[in-house]
Amino acid sequence: ILTIEERCKILATYKAKKSNFKQLLLKNNTDLDTLALNTNIPKDQLTNYLDTKVINLNNAMTISKELNCSIEELYSWKVSDK
């Protein structure tokens, strides 16, 4: 069994580096009106997500399911091992 200190040395940390939201919309031939209709997320909120790095977890899960991708694919990630 590892101590907390040992686990911290092994575990990597992840930080969203860049959103892939625009690319995934294009890849799926989906526009914001359609995505808003299918997800019940207001179009103005989706528009804000085009320019922001962070999408709240609930909406990220909803969007990823609609765009046939994982939450991880919504972003490019920076990984560091502390």
Side-chain angles (χ1 to χ4, degrees):
I1 297 176
L2 297 175
T3 66
I4 292 175
E5 290 81 17
E6 291 169 326
R7 288 188 70 211
C8 287
K9 290 178 185 176
I10 295 171
L11 297 176
T13 57
Y14 296 83
K15 186 170 184 174
K17 184 174 154 184
K18 179 181 172 262
S19 171
N20 295 322
F21 187 36
K22 282 181 192 175
Q23 293 85 347
L24 290 165
L25 285 169
L26 291 171
K27 178 181 173 183
N28 285 277
N29 251 350
T30 303
D31 61 30
L32 291 180
D33 289 318
T34 303
L35 188 62
L37 184 65
N38 293 344
T39 61
N40 292 319
I41 300 170
K43 183 180 175 183
D44 62 328
Q45 183 65 54
L46 293 171
T47 301
N48 289 340
Y49 290 154
L50 290 173
D51 299 320
T52 186
K53 207 187 292 184
V54 179
I55 300 172
N56 78 48
L57 184 59
N58 294 334
N59 286 349
M61 183 65 157
T62 301
I63 290 166
S64 69
K65 294 302 179 190
E66 186 61 30
L67 295 179
N68 300 308
C69 68
S70 66
I71 288 178
E72 290 90 346
E73 290 174 285
L74 287 174
Y75 302 99
S76 297
W77 295 91
K78 179 179 179 183
V79 182
S80 63
D81 52 343
K82 291 192 175 186

